[in-house]
Amino acid sequence: MSEKDYDAAAEWAEHEMAPTRDSKTRLRGQEVAAFGRELIEHSQGGRPSIDPDAAPGEKSPVRQVRLPRALNADLDAFAKNHHRNASDVAREALSEYLAAHKDAS
């Protein structure tokens, strides 16, 4: 979404949007402007990035890896037992491994 699109949507939300008269949730003035901007920012694409430094709408890189069945089963069991998902466990494990081996060349 371009800055021009954002500005046009904000202008529409602030001045032209016409909710029904009996609306119990309609916002007015600066409330609607803030809500519209937040809505547009959050609508910029898919899942939130796992990278806290990513810009809105910026996607996280994806890697695929093949695992032996036993390792895959261990990963799934570990994740389930710790109430986490396998991707979180894999990211944490890779981060720890790289930190522990960064000086080994």
Side-chain angles (χ1 to χ4, degrees), residues 75 84 86-100:
L75 174 59
R84 299 177 66 194
S87 293
D88 288 340
V89 173
R91 275 190 294 274
E92 184 177 332
L94 181 57
S95 181
E96 288 178 12
Y97 180 89
L98 292 174

Side-chain angles (χ1 to χ4, degrees), residues 9 15 17 24 29 32-33 35-36 48-50 61 64 74 77 79 81 87 91 99:
H15 301 289
M17 189 172 90
K24 304 284 189 241
V32 75
F35 178 79
S49 178
I50 57 170
Q64 292 182 335
D74 288 347
N81 289 338
S87 293
R91 275 190 294 274

Side-chain angles (χ1 to χ4, degrees), residues 16-96:
E16 299 173 32
M17 189 172 90
T20 61
R21 286 194 167 275
D22 60 345
S23 173
K24 304 284 189 241
T25 59
R26 83 184 202 185
L27 303 173
R28 293 178 179 85
Q30 291 303 313
E31 290 176 321
V32 75
F35 178 79
R37 287 186 178 98
E38 183 177 339
L39 183 63
I40 290 168
E41 184 174 314
H42 283 54
S43 70
Q44 296 206 358
R47 293 179 171 173
S49 178
I50 57 170
D51 184 350
D53 297 326
E58 184 178 351
K59 295 181 181 177
S60 302
V62 176
R63 296 281 177 138
Q64 292 182 335
V65 60
R66 294 185 183 273
L67 303 174
R69 284 187 199 131
L71 181 58
N72 191 58
D74 288 347
L75 174 59
D76 287 340
F78 182 92
K80 183 178 180 182
N81 289 338
H82 290 84
H83 308 287
R84 299 177 66 194
N85 65 49
S87 293
D88 288 340
V89 173
R91 275 190 294 274
E92 184 177 332
L94 181 57
S95 181
E96 288 178 12

